[in-house]
Short mmCIF file of all heavy atoms in Angstrom, two decimals:
data_model
loop_
_atom_site.label_atom_id
_atom_site.label_comp_id
_atom_site.label_asym_id
_atom_site.label_seq_id
_atom_site.Cartn_x
_atom_site.Cartn_y
_atom_site.Cartn_z
N MET A 1 125.36 110.80 65.88
CA MET A 1 124.75 110.90 64.55
C MET A 1 123.71 112.01 64.55
O MET A 1 122.85 112.07 65.44
CB MET A 1 124.12 109.57 64.17
CG MET A 1 124.05 109.39 62.68
SD MET A 1 123.61 107.68 62.24
CE MET A 1 121.86 107.88 61.99
N LYS A 2 123.79 112.87 63.55
CA LYS A 2 122.83 113.98 63.49
C LYS A 2 121.54 113.54 62.81
O LYS A 2 121.60 112.86 61.78
CB LYS A 2 123.44 115.14 62.68
CG LYS A 2 124.10 116.19 63.58
CD LYS A 2 124.76 117.25 62.74
CE LYS A 2 123.90 118.51 62.71
NZ LYS A 2 124.54 119.59 61.95
N PRO A 3 120.42 113.87 63.39
CA PRO A 3 119.16 113.51 62.73
C PRO A 3 118.98 114.30 61.44
O PRO A 3 119.43 115.44 61.32
CB PRO A 3 118.09 113.87 63.75
CG PRO A 3 118.72 114.89 64.64
CD PRO A 3 120.20 114.60 64.63
N ARG A 4 118.32 113.69 60.49
CA ARG A 4 118.06 114.34 59.21
C ARG A 4 116.97 115.38 59.41
O ARG A 4 116.00 115.14 60.14
CB ARG A 4 117.59 113.30 58.20
CG ARG A 4 117.70 113.72 56.78
CD ARG A 4 117.79 112.48 55.90
NE ARG A 4 116.59 111.66 56.03
CZ ARG A 4 115.54 111.76 55.19
NH1 ARG A 4 115.56 112.60 54.19
NH2 ARG A 4 114.49 110.99 55.35
N LEU A 5 117.15 116.52 58.78
CA LEU A 5 116.11 117.55 58.86
C LEU A 5 115.17 117.41 57.67
O LEU A 5 115.61 117.33 56.53
CB LEU A 5 116.74 118.95 58.85
CG LEU A 5 117.49 119.35 60.14
CD1 LEU A 5 118.09 120.73 59.97
CD2 LEU A 5 116.56 119.32 61.33
N VAL A 6 113.90 117.34 57.97
CA VAL A 6 112.90 117.26 56.90
C VAL A 6 111.93 118.42 57.07
O VAL A 6 111.63 118.83 58.18
CB VAL A 6 112.13 115.92 56.94
CG1 VAL A 6 113.06 114.76 56.68
CG2 VAL A 6 111.41 115.73 58.25
N PRO A 7 111.45 118.96 55.95
CA PRO A 7 110.46 120.03 56.07
C PRO A 7 109.13 119.47 56.53
O PRO A 7 108.66 118.46 56.01
CB PRO A 7 110.37 120.61 54.65
CG PRO A 7 110.93 119.57 53.75
CD PRO A 7 111.82 118.68 54.56
N CYS A 8 108.53 120.12 57.49
CA CYS A 8 107.21 119.72 57.98
C CYS A 8 106.22 119.75 56.82
O CYS A 8 106.14 120.74 56.11
CB CYS A 8 106.78 120.68 59.09
SG CYS A 8 105.05 120.52 59.55
N PRO A 9 105.50 118.66 56.56
CA PRO A 9 104.56 118.62 55.42
C PRO A 9 103.48 119.67 55.53
O PRO A 9 102.84 120.01 54.54
CB PRO A 9 103.96 117.21 55.49
CG PRO A 9 104.88 116.42 56.35
CD PRO A 9 105.52 117.39 57.30
N LYS A 10 103.26 120.16 56.72
CA LYS A 10 102.17 121.11 56.92
C LYS A 10 102.63 122.54 56.74
O LYS A 10 102.03 123.31 56.02
CB LYS A 10 101.59 120.91 58.31
CG LYS A 10 100.30 121.65 58.54
CD LYS A 10 99.17 120.98 57.78
CE LYS A 10 97.93 121.86 57.84
NZ LYS A 10 96.91 121.39 56.90
N CYS A 11 103.73 122.92 57.43
CA CYS A 11 104.12 124.33 57.42
C CYS A 11 105.51 124.55 56.83
O CYS A 11 105.91 125.68 56.62
CB CYS A 11 104.04 124.91 58.82
SG CYS A 11 105.32 124.30 59.92
N GLY A 12 106.25 123.46 56.56
CA GLY A 12 107.53 123.62 55.90
C GLY A 12 108.70 123.88 56.83
O GLY A 12 109.83 124.02 56.36
N THR A 13 108.48 123.94 58.12
CA THR A 13 109.56 124.16 59.07
C THR A 13 110.49 122.95 59.08
O THR A 13 110.02 121.81 59.13
CB THR A 13 108.99 124.37 60.48
OG1 THR A 13 108.13 125.49 60.48
CG2 THR A 13 110.10 124.58 61.50
N LEU A 14 111.79 123.19 59.00
CA LEU A 14 112.73 122.08 59.05
C LEU A 14 112.68 121.44 60.42
O LEU A 14 112.80 122.10 61.45
CB LEU A 14 114.14 122.56 58.73
CG LEU A 14 114.42 122.80 57.25
CD1 LEU A 14 115.84 123.30 57.04
CD2 LEU A 14 114.19 121.54 56.44
N THR A 15 112.48 120.12 60.41
CA THR A 15 112.22 119.37 61.63
C THR A 15 113.12 118.15 61.68
O THR A 15 113.27 117.47 60.67
CB THR A 15 110.74 118.91 61.60
OG1 THR A 15 109.92 120.04 61.35
CG2 THR A 15 110.33 118.25 62.88
N PRO A 16 113.73 117.88 62.83
CA PRO A 16 114.56 116.68 62.91
C PRO A 16 113.74 115.41 62.83
O PRO A 16 112.78 115.22 63.58
CB PRO A 16 115.26 116.80 64.28
CG PRO A 16 114.48 117.80 65.06
CD PRO A 16 113.73 118.66 64.07
N PHE A 17 114.11 114.56 61.86
CA PHE A 17 113.41 113.29 61.70
C PHE A 17 114.12 112.27 62.57
O PHE A 17 114.98 111.52 62.12
CB PHE A 17 113.45 112.88 60.22
CG PHE A 17 112.52 111.75 59.90
CD1 PHE A 17 111.21 112.01 59.52
CD2 PHE A 17 112.93 110.43 59.97
CE1 PHE A 17 110.34 110.98 59.21
CE2 PHE A 17 112.06 109.39 59.66
CZ PHE A 17 110.77 109.67 59.28
N SER A 18 113.77 112.24 63.85
CA SER A 18 114.46 111.36 64.79
C SER A 18 113.47 110.86 65.82
O SER A 18 112.38 111.43 65.98
CB SER A 18 115.58 112.13 65.47
OG SER A 18 115.03 112.96 66.48
N PRO A 19 113.84 109.80 66.53
CA PRO A 19 112.93 109.28 67.56
C PRO A 19 112.64 110.31 68.65
O PRO A 19 111.67 110.15 69.39
CB PRO A 19 113.70 108.08 68.15
CG PRO A 19 114.69 107.71 67.10
CD PRO A 19 115.04 108.98 66.38
N ASP A 20 113.48 111.34 68.74
CA ASP A 20 113.23 112.38 69.73
C ASP A 20 112.02 113.22 69.38
O ASP A 20 111.46 113.91 70.22
CB ASP A 20 114.45 113.31 69.83
CG ASP A 20 115.62 112.59 70.47
OD1 ASP A 20 115.40 111.55 71.11
OD2 ASP A 20 116.75 113.08 70.32
N ASN A 21 111.64 113.18 68.11
CA ASN A 21 110.51 113.99 67.67
C ASN A 21 109.29 113.09 67.46
O ASN A 21 109.17 112.45 66.43
CB ASN A 21 110.89 114.72 66.37
CG ASN A 21 109.70 115.48 65.80
OD1 ASN A 21 108.68 115.65 66.46
ND2 ASN A 21 109.84 115.93 64.58
N PRO A 22 108.42 113.03 68.43
CA PRO A 22 107.27 112.12 68.33
C PRO A 22 106.30 112.54 67.23
O PRO A 22 105.42 111.76 66.86
CB PRO A 22 106.61 112.22 69.71
CG PRO A 22 107.06 113.53 70.28
CD PRO A 22 108.42 113.81 69.68
N TYR A 23 106.47 113.75 66.71
CA TYR A 23 105.52 114.23 65.70
C TYR A 23 106.09 114.12 64.30
O TYR A 23 105.48 114.57 63.36
CB TYR A 23 105.15 115.69 65.99
CG TYR A 23 104.77 115.91 67.43
CD1 TYR A 23 105.51 116.75 68.24
CD2 TYR A 23 103.68 115.25 67.97
CE1 TYR A 23 105.17 116.94 69.56
CE2 TYR A 23 103.33 115.43 69.29
CZ TYR A 23 104.08 116.28 70.09
OH TYR A 23 103.74 116.46 71.39
N ARG A 24 107.29 113.53 64.18
CA ARG A 24 107.90 113.46 62.86
C ARG A 24 106.95 112.82 61.86
O ARG A 24 106.22 111.90 62.23
CB ARG A 24 109.22 112.67 62.93
CG ARG A 24 109.04 111.20 63.30
CD ARG A 24 110.38 110.56 63.56
NE ARG A 24 110.23 109.15 63.81
CZ ARG A 24 109.90 108.63 65.00
NH1 ARG A 24 109.70 109.42 66.02
NH2 ARG A 24 109.78 107.34 65.14
N PRO A 25 106.93 113.20 60.60
CA PRO A 25 107.78 114.25 60.05
C PRO A 25 107.23 115.65 60.27
O PRO A 25 107.69 116.59 59.63
CB PRO A 25 107.78 113.91 58.55
CG PRO A 25 106.41 113.35 58.32
CD PRO A 25 106.02 112.64 59.60
N PHE A 26 106.28 115.80 61.15
CA PHE A 26 105.73 117.13 61.40
C PHE A 26 106.55 117.83 62.48
O PHE A 26 107.29 117.19 63.23
CB PHE A 26 104.27 117.04 61.84
CG PHE A 26 103.40 116.40 60.79
CD1 PHE A 26 103.14 115.04 60.82
CD2 PHE A 26 102.89 117.15 59.74
CE1 PHE A 26 102.37 114.44 59.85
CE2 PHE A 26 102.12 116.56 58.76
CZ PHE A 26 101.85 115.20 58.82
N CYS A 27 106.40 119.14 62.60
CA CYS A 27 107.20 119.90 63.54
C CYS A 27 106.52 119.94 64.90
O CYS A 27 107.17 120.19 65.91
CB CYS A 27 107.44 121.31 63.01
SG CYS A 27 105.96 122.34 62.98
N SER A 28 105.23 119.69 64.95
CA SER A 28 104.53 119.83 66.23
C SER A 28 103.24 119.02 66.20
O SER A 28 102.78 118.59 65.14
CB SER A 28 104.19 121.30 66.48
OG SER A 28 103.27 121.74 65.50
N ALA A 29 102.68 118.84 67.39
CA ALA A 29 101.41 118.11 67.48
C ALA A 29 100.33 118.82 66.69
O ALA A 29 99.47 118.21 66.08
CB ALA A 29 101.00 118.00 68.94
N ARG A 30 100.40 120.14 66.69
CA ARG A 30 99.39 120.91 66.00
C ARG A 30 99.39 120.65 64.50
O ARG A 30 98.35 120.41 63.88
CB ARG A 30 99.65 122.40 66.26
CG ARG A 30 98.44 123.27 66.02
CD ARG A 30 98.89 124.72 65.97
NE ARG A 30 98.30 125.34 64.82
CZ ARG A 30 97.46 126.35 64.90
NH1 ARG A 30 97.15 126.86 66.04
NH2 ARG A 30 96.93 126.86 63.82
N CYS A 31 100.59 120.66 63.92
CA CYS A 31 100.69 120.41 62.48
C CYS A 31 100.24 118.99 62.17
O CYS A 31 99.57 118.76 61.17
CB CYS A 31 102.13 120.63 62.01
SG CYS A 31 102.49 122.36 61.67
N ARG A 32 100.63 118.06 63.00
CA ARG A 32 100.25 116.68 62.73
C ARG A 32 98.73 116.51 62.79
O ARG A 32 98.12 115.88 61.94
CB ARG A 32 100.92 115.74 63.74
CG ARG A 32 100.70 114.29 63.39
CD ARG A 32 101.38 113.36 64.33
NE ARG A 32 100.78 113.43 65.65
CZ ARG A 32 100.98 112.53 66.61
NH1 ARG A 32 101.80 111.54 66.39
NH2 ARG A 32 100.41 112.66 67.77
N THR A 33 98.13 117.08 63.81
CA THR A 33 96.69 116.97 63.97
C THR A 33 95.96 117.62 62.79
O THR A 33 95.04 117.05 62.23
CB THR A 33 96.25 117.64 65.28
OG1 THR A 33 97.01 117.08 66.35
CG2 THR A 33 94.78 117.42 65.54
N ASP A 34 96.45 118.80 62.40
CA ASP A 34 95.83 119.50 61.27
C ASP A 34 95.89 118.65 60.03
O ASP A 34 94.92 118.52 59.29
CB ASP A 34 96.57 120.82 61.01
CG ASP A 34 96.08 121.90 61.93
OD1 ASP A 34 95.33 121.57 62.87
OD2 ASP A 34 96.46 123.06 61.73
N ASP A 35 97.07 118.06 59.78
CA ASP A 35 97.25 117.31 58.55
C ASP A 35 96.42 116.03 58.56
O ASP A 35 95.77 115.70 57.59
CB ASP A 35 98.73 116.97 58.36
CG ASP A 35 99.01 116.60 56.92
OD1 ASP A 35 99.08 117.53 56.10
OD2 ASP A 35 99.12 115.41 56.62
N LEU A 36 96.42 115.34 59.68
CA LEU A 36 95.64 114.11 59.75
C LEU A 36 94.16 114.40 59.61
O LEU A 36 93.41 113.64 59.00
CB LEU A 36 95.92 113.40 61.09
CG LEU A 36 97.29 112.73 61.20
CD1 LEU A 36 97.41 112.03 62.54
CD2 LEU A 36 97.52 111.74 60.08
N ALA A 37 93.74 115.52 60.15
CA ALA A 37 92.33 115.89 60.05
C ALA A 37 91.94 116.13 58.60
O ALA A 37 90.92 115.64 58.14
CB ALA A 37 92.07 117.13 60.88
N SER A 38 92.77 116.86 57.86
CA SER A 38 92.42 117.13 56.47
C SER A 38 92.52 115.85 55.64
O SER A 38 91.74 115.63 54.72
CB SER A 38 93.34 118.20 55.88
OG SER A 38 94.68 117.81 55.97
N TRP A 39 93.47 115.00 55.99
CA TRP A 39 93.62 113.73 55.27
C TRP A 39 92.39 112.86 55.49
O TRP A 39 91.84 112.27 54.58
CB TRP A 39 94.88 113.03 55.76
CG TRP A 39 95.17 111.76 55.03
CD1 TRP A 39 95.82 111.63 53.83
CD2 TRP A 39 94.83 110.42 55.45
NE1 TRP A 39 95.91 110.30 53.50
CE2 TRP A 39 95.30 109.54 54.46
CE3 TRP A 39 94.16 109.90 56.55
CZ2 TRP A 39 95.13 108.15 54.55
CZ3 TRP A 39 94.00 108.52 56.64
CH2 TRP A 39 94.49 107.66 55.65
N ALA A 40 91.93 112.77 56.74
CA ALA A 40 90.77 111.96 57.06
C ALA A 40 89.53 112.50 56.35
O ALA A 40 88.69 111.75 55.87
CB ALA A 40 90.55 111.94 58.57
N GLU A 41 89.44 113.81 56.26
CA GLU A 41 88.31 114.43 55.58
C GLU A 41 88.29 114.01 54.12
O GLU A 41 87.27 113.65 53.57
CB GLU A 41 88.46 115.94 55.66
CG GLU A 41 87.31 116.63 56.36
CD GLU A 41 87.65 118.08 56.62
OE1 GLU A 41 87.76 118.83 55.64
OE2 GLU A 41 87.83 118.44 57.79
N GLU A 42 89.48 114.07 53.50
CA GLU A 42 89.60 113.72 52.09
C GLU A 42 89.23 112.26 51.87
O GLU A 42 88.50 111.91 50.96
CB GLU A 42 91.04 113.96 51.65
CG GLU A 42 91.20 113.85 50.16
CD GLU A 42 91.90 115.09 49.62
OE1 GLU A 42 91.63 116.19 50.15
OE2 GLU A 42 92.70 114.95 48.72
N LYS A 43 89.73 111.39 52.73
CA LYS A 43 89.47 109.97 52.61
C LYS A 43 87.97 109.71 52.73
O LYS A 43 87.40 108.94 51.98
CB LYS A 43 90.22 109.24 53.73
CG LYS A 43 90.13 107.73 53.66
CD LYS A 43 91.11 107.13 54.67
CE LYS A 43 91.16 105.62 54.56
NZ LYS A 43 90.05 104.96 55.23
N TYR A 44 87.36 110.39 53.66
CA TYR A 44 85.94 110.22 53.89
C TYR A 44 85.16 110.61 52.64
O TYR A 44 84.23 109.94 52.22
CB TYR A 44 85.52 111.09 55.07
CG TYR A 44 84.08 110.90 55.48
CD1 TYR A 44 83.70 109.76 56.20
CD2 TYR A 44 83.11 111.84 55.16
CE1 TYR A 44 82.40 109.59 56.59
CE2 TYR A 44 81.80 111.66 55.54
CZ TYR A 44 81.44 110.54 56.25
OH TYR A 44 80.14 110.37 56.62
N ARG A 45 85.60 111.71 52.01
CA ARG A 45 84.91 112.19 50.83
C ARG A 45 85.05 111.18 49.69
O ARG A 45 84.10 110.88 48.98
CB ARG A 45 85.51 113.54 50.41
CG ARG A 45 84.46 114.46 49.83
CD ARG A 45 84.98 115.87 49.66
NE ARG A 45 86.24 115.93 48.99
CZ ARG A 45 87.27 116.66 49.40
NH1 ARG A 45 87.17 117.38 50.46
NH2 ARG A 45 88.40 116.67 48.74
N ILE A 46 86.26 110.65 49.50
CA ILE A 46 86.50 109.70 48.42
C ILE A 46 85.68 108.43 48.64
O ILE A 46 85.02 107.94 47.74
CB ILE A 46 88.01 109.37 48.34
CG1 ILE A 46 88.77 110.58 47.81
CG2 ILE A 46 88.24 108.17 47.42
CD1 ILE A 46 90.26 110.48 47.99
N GLU A 47 85.68 107.93 49.87
CA GLU A 47 84.95 106.70 50.15
C GLU A 47 83.45 106.91 49.98
O GLU A 47 82.73 106.01 49.59
CB GLU A 47 85.26 106.22 51.56
CG GLU A 47 86.60 105.50 51.61
CD GLU A 47 86.92 104.98 53.00
OE1 GLU A 47 86.16 105.28 53.93
OE2 GLU A 47 87.93 104.29 53.14
N GLY A 48 83.02 108.12 50.27
CA GLY A 48 81.59 108.40 50.16
C GLY A 48 81.14 108.46 48.72
O GLY A 48 80.01 108.11 48.41
N SER A 49 82.04 108.89 47.80
CA SER A 49 81.62 109.07 46.41
C SER A 49 81.92 107.84 45.56
O SER A 49 81.34 107.66 44.52
CB SER A 49 82.32 110.30 45.81
OG SER A 49 83.71 110.11 45.80
N ASP A 50 82.84 107.03 45.99
CA ASP A 50 83.22 105.86 45.20
C ASP A 50 83.24 104.63 46.09
O ASP A 50 84.12 104.44 46.89
CB ASP A 50 84.59 106.10 44.56
CG ASP A 50 84.96 104.94 43.64
OD1 ASP A 50 84.10 104.09 43.34
OD2 ASP A 50 86.12 104.88 43.22
N ALA A 51 82.24 103.77 45.93
CA ALA A 51 82.11 102.62 46.81
C ALA A 51 82.71 101.36 46.20
O ALA A 51 82.74 100.32 46.83
CB ALA A 51 80.65 102.38 47.14
N SER A 52 83.17 101.45 44.94
CA SER A 52 83.70 100.26 44.29
C SER A 52 85.04 99.88 44.90
O SER A 52 85.93 100.70 45.04
CB SER A 52 83.85 100.49 42.79
OG SER A 52 84.89 101.40 42.55
N GLU A 53 85.15 98.62 45.26
CA GLU A 53 86.39 98.15 45.87
C GLU A 53 86.69 96.76 45.33
O GLU A 53 85.81 95.89 45.34
CB GLU A 53 86.23 98.12 47.38
CG GLU A 53 87.57 98.22 48.10
CD GLU A 53 87.37 98.24 49.62
OE1 GLU A 53 86.67 99.13 50.11
OE2 GLU A 53 87.91 97.35 50.28
N GLU A 54 87.90 96.57 44.85
CA GLU A 54 88.24 95.26 44.30
C GLU A 54 88.51 94.28 45.42
O GLU A 54 89.17 94.62 46.39
CB GLU A 54 89.47 95.39 43.41
CG GLU A 54 89.16 96.01 42.06
CD GLU A 54 90.36 95.96 41.15
OE1 GLU A 54 91.09 94.96 41.17
OE2 GLU A 54 90.59 96.94 40.43
N PRO A 55 88.01 93.06 45.27
CA PRO A 55 88.30 92.05 46.30
C PRO A 55 89.77 91.66 46.24
O PRO A 55 90.38 91.70 45.17
CB PRO A 55 87.39 90.87 45.91
CG PRO A 55 87.12 91.05 44.46
CD PRO A 55 87.17 92.54 44.19
N PRO A 56 90.35 91.28 47.36
CA PRO A 56 91.77 90.88 47.36
C PRO A 56 91.97 89.62 46.54
O PRO A 56 91.13 88.72 46.53
CB PRO A 56 92.08 90.65 48.83
CG PRO A 56 90.76 90.42 49.49
CD PRO A 56 89.76 91.19 48.67
N LEU A 57 93.09 89.56 45.83
CA LEU A 57 93.39 88.38 45.01
C LEU A 57 93.79 87.22 45.90
O LEU A 57 94.46 87.41 46.91
CB LEU A 57 94.52 88.70 44.04
CG LEU A 57 94.20 89.70 42.94
CD1 LEU A 57 95.50 90.07 42.20
CD2 LEU A 57 93.19 89.14 41.95
N PRO A 58 93.37 86.01 45.53
CA PRO A 58 93.82 84.85 46.32
C PRO A 58 95.29 84.60 46.12
O PRO A 58 95.84 84.96 45.08
CB PRO A 58 92.98 83.68 45.75
CG PRO A 58 92.59 84.14 44.39
CD PRO A 58 92.53 85.64 44.42
N PRO A 59 95.96 84.01 47.07
CA PRO A 59 97.40 83.75 46.90
C PRO A 59 97.63 82.76 45.77
O PRO A 59 96.84 81.84 45.58
CB PRO A 59 97.82 83.13 48.24
CG PRO A 59 96.56 82.66 48.89
CD PRO A 59 95.46 83.54 48.34
N PRO A 60 98.67 82.97 44.97
CA PRO A 60 98.93 82.05 43.83
C PRO A 60 99.27 80.66 44.32
O PRO A 60 100.05 80.49 45.25
CB PRO A 60 100.09 82.70 43.11
CG PRO A 60 100.75 83.59 44.12
CD PRO A 60 99.69 83.96 45.12
N LEU A 61 98.66 79.68 43.63
CA LEU A 61 98.96 78.30 43.99
C LEU A 61 100.08 77.78 43.10
O LEU A 61 100.05 77.95 41.89
CB LEU A 61 97.72 77.42 43.83
CG LEU A 61 96.55 77.79 44.73
CD1 LEU A 61 95.31 76.99 44.33
CD2 LEU A 61 96.88 77.51 46.20
N ASP A 62 101.04 77.15 43.69
CA ASP A 62 102.16 76.66 42.93
C ASP A 62 101.94 75.23 42.45
O ASP A 62 101.55 74.40 43.21
CB ASP A 62 103.45 76.75 43.76
CG ASP A 62 104.67 76.79 42.85
OD1 ASP A 62 104.58 77.39 41.78
OD2 ASP A 62 105.67 76.20 43.23
ZN1 ZN U 101 104.71 122.34 61.00
#
C-alpha cells in the first residue's frame, strides 16, 4: 500500500503520511519544530489576553 502524500503544513513539500515518517504531516523535524513553536507562541498570546474559560458541563442525568 502506498502512503498518501500530504503537503507539509510548513513548507508545502509533499510528504508521505505514513508511520515511516515520524514527523508527519511535516516533512522534517525542522518544519515540525518551527510550526509547533509558532503555534505555542500563538496559544500563549491568546491565553494571555483572554482569561475567560467556560466550566465543563456536567454529564446529563437520565
Ligand atoms: Zn516542510
